[in-house]
Structures are given as C-alpha cells and as structure tokens.
Amino acid sequence: MITTLKGTNTEVNINTAGPVVIIGESINPTRRKKLVTTLQEGDFSFVLELAESQIKAGADVLDVNVGFPGVDDEKLLPETVRVLQDNIDVPLCLDSPNPRAIEAALKVARGKCLINSVNGEERSLAALLPVAKEYGAAIIGLCMDDDGITHDPEKRLAIAEKIIERALKTGINQEDVVVDPLAMAVSADPNACLVTLETIRLVHTRLGHNITQGASNISFGLPDRESLNAAFMTLSIFNGLTCPIANPEKITAAVRATDLVLGRDDFAVRFVEYFQSRQPIQY
Ligand code: THG
C-alpha cells in the first residue's frame, strides 16, 4: 500500500514494501524551551533551523507541533506552516490535539499533509474525518478510543479497523489512513513494547496499512535512550513500521542499516550515501 504525501513540489511515497520514511519529530516544544521562547517573540528562525537540520539528517517529512501553554495554536500553527513552506519543500505532518488548529493549518498549507492525529473516539472522528476529506489530507489513526488505551493488541487492531471503516465512509481513500499502534514508556510497563510490536504485526499482516509511531516514547525516564530507541525501531520495522516519528539526528543510521538488512537498499546505496554524508570533509 502506498500513502502519498506532498510538499510544495516534493512528493513522498510511504510504501509498505519500500524503505522507511522518517518523519522528523523535533519541531515540538516538549523539552525545547528555545522553541517556545522564539515562537512567543514571533521569531521563526529557530523553527527553520530545526527544519533544515532534520532534513539534512534524513527526515523525509516534518512533524509540526507548536502547542504549549498559553499559545493560540489556531493562529500559530498556520503561521508556522506558511513560514516553513516558504523555505522548505518536504511534506508536513500537522500535530495538534486541537481540530480547529489543524483545519486552520490545512487552509494555508500547500501539497498534501498528514493529520496527527485522529483516534477512535467519536468526538475525534466527527471533528477530523470531514476536515481530512475536505482538504485532501491523509490521517494518522491512533489505536485508542472512548474506552481509553487497551493493552490487548487484538483490541488495538479493532480500533484501527474502526477508524479505517469510518474514514472510508467519509470518502477518504484507504491508503490515506496511517495507523499508529501506540508506543508507550517501557519504564512504566514492562510489556509496553511487546504490546506495540504485536499490534504492528497484526496491522501489517491483516490490514496492510502504513504504520507510524513516536520512536522515542518508549525510552522516557531511562538512560541511553538512543540505544533503546534504535533497538525498538529495528524490531518495529521488521514487524511492519514504515514511517516512524523520530529524531533523524539519532535514528537515521539505525533506519538505513535496517533497510539494508531487510533487502530494501540494493547495493547499500542509501546506507553508504548516509555514512558519507555524516563524515567530516577531508582536505
Ligand atoms: N504518535 C504520534 N504523534 C506523536 C507521538 C506518537 N507526536 C508526539 C510524540 N509522540 C513524538 N514526538 C516527540 C518529540 C520529541 C520527543 C519525543 C517525541 C523528545 N524529545 C527529546 C527529549 O524530550 O528529551 C529531545 C531530543 C532528543 O533527545 O531526541 O523526547 O507517539 N502519532
């Protein structure tokens, strides 16, 4: 299955049979105080810096989250989208819990965005599916619903099926629903990663949809997050993850290595290219 996203000119195909697409996570105020202070001053230079450095590090798509306490993200999200698209060309993933902010951003966005996110709650489906249809956006469907978060992979699969069915009824194409199995901190629940890995396997084998997840969620509260995230990333890709939301500075090497190991990088072209791009210039 192929989900196509578009920037101003660039097209990105997320292909269940192809190499992994990286959605850069770093435009997110979580633990990035500088992002909050610069945005509060109406200064977009740091957002642009984060965008450019992530693209250089291997991001194919950029997640854009500008939500922080006290912000009017119905105004700030579209403004940020405008500034980003005036300067960079990759497709955007609009990340806000506020459906009105998502809609305001879609109004000004060029290309085809990914909405982050819809979930199985009636309120979420009712607010966002018509918006996705109207603006021709793809959606991320989170495997949680009005009953909260289940630890049963079959139940998470059933929520994914419900979101897909409702999206189809709204006139959204099947391939435009990217499923998020939910990745949670393994420090809080020893089985958290296993539940997610099994959900990925079920969604991949039974539904065949593209799959995303926050790659660094699992390592909250633990040391050496990079190693943990890389281990989980590799196993997740093997099970069917196709477009993680991650920090490309830290995850691209593991992603390129896994693609090569899984026969998705003929003659190691992308692996070697990435390696060379990270070497200091030799004179
Ligand atoms: N699913 C979907 N969307 C999501 C998530 C998900 N969006 C938000 C989040 N989870 C993914 N994005 C982030 C962004 C930043 C961080 C984690 C997840 C983060 N930043 C580091 C920190 O806090 O220490 C700072 C940089 C770093 O060390 O990498 O952790 O699950 N659909």
Side-chain angles (χ1 to χ4, degrees):
M1 197 178 289
I2 297 177
T3 308
T4 301
L5 302 179
K6 294 177 189 163
T8 310
N9 299 297
T10 313
E11 203 172 275
V12 169
N13 288 315
I14 311 171
N15 186 343
T16 47
V20 169
V21 165
I22 297 173
I23 304 177
E25 73 177 14
S26 306
I27 302 178
N28 187 317
T30 311
R31 299 218 224 151
R32 257 192 203 85
K33 201 152 179 262
K34 186 171 175 188
L35 185 59
V36 176
T37 51
T38 52
L39 286 173
Q40 277 169 334
E41 289 163 3
D43 172 6
F44 290 93
S45 57
F46 186 57
V47 170
L48 282 174
E49 229 176 85
L50 286 173
E52 277 154 15
S53 59
Q54 288 186 93
I55 293 167
K56 197 157 162 256
D60 304 290
V61 176
L62 294 178
D63 189 81
V64 186
N65 183 323
V66 291
F68 48 84
V71 73
D72 176 5
D73 70 344
E74 287 170 45
K75 191 165 161 278
L76 186 56
L77 189 61
E79 259 177 29
T80 308
V81 164
R82 230 195 258 273
V83 173
L84 283 169
Q85 292 198 320
D86 283 345
N87 291 278
I88 52 114
D89 192 23
V90 302
L92 302 179
C93 174
L94 307 172
D95 191 352
S96 168
N98 178 359
R100 288 192 304 272
I102 299 269
E103 181 164 14
L106 286 169
K107 267 190 189 144
V108 306
R110 298 189 284 264
K112 181 178 172 192
C113 299
L114 185 57
I115 295 176
N116 189 6
S117 58
V118 177
N119 62 56
E121 293 172 1
E122 283 307 319
R123 211 175 53 156
S124 173
L125 296 167
L128 284 166
L129 293 182
V131 171
K133 169 68 185 162
E134 183 177 348
Y135 294 93
I139 61 170
I140 293 176
L142 278 184
C143 294
M144 55 183 279
D145 65 8
D146 290 298
D147 295 328
I149 295 174
T150 167
H151 298 287
D152 179 346
E154 290 281 355
K155 286 188 183 150
R156 287 196 190 176
L157 173 74
I159 296 170
E161 285 174 316
K162 173 173 121 177
I163 296 170
I164 292 163
E165 189 189 307
R166 296 284 289 273
L168 288 171
K169 272 195 191 138
T170 313
I172 295 165
N173 294 333
Q174 176 144 21
E175 64 272 18
D176 284 336
V177 183
V178 176
V179 176
D180 186 329
L182 288 190
M184 322 264 289
V186 72
S187 56
D189 171 7
N191 285 320
C193 291
L194 286 175
V195 170
T196 302
L197 287 168
E198 177 60 6
T199 307
I200 293 173
R201 197 186 66 80
L202 292 174
V203 171
H204 177 67
T205 53
R206 302 219 194 131
L207 308 180
H209 275 240
N210 276 303
I211 300 172
T212 186
Q213 77 189 359
S216 44
N217 300 13
I218 64 139
S219 60
F220 280 122
L222 289 166
D224 195 7
R225 294 182 64 182
E226 217 170 308
S227 302
L228 258 177
N229 295 345
F232 185 58
M233 178 65 58
T234 299
L235 294 167
S236 297
I237 293 169
F238 185 59
N239 277 18
L241 174 72
T242 50
C243 50
I245 304 171
N247 180 345
E249 310 271 359
K250 297 183 177 170
I251 211 71
T252 307
V255 165
R256 293 284 183 274
T258 307
D259 273 337
L260 174 57
V261 167
L262 292 177
R264 296 163 173 178
D265 183 7
D266 292 354
F267 308 105
V269 169
R270 295 185 86 217
F271 182 80
V272 171
E273 257 176 25
Y274 178 72
F275 175 75
Q276 287 172 341
S277 78
R278 305 309 279 179
Q279 297 307 299
I281 299 166
Q282 310 269 333
Y283 292 101

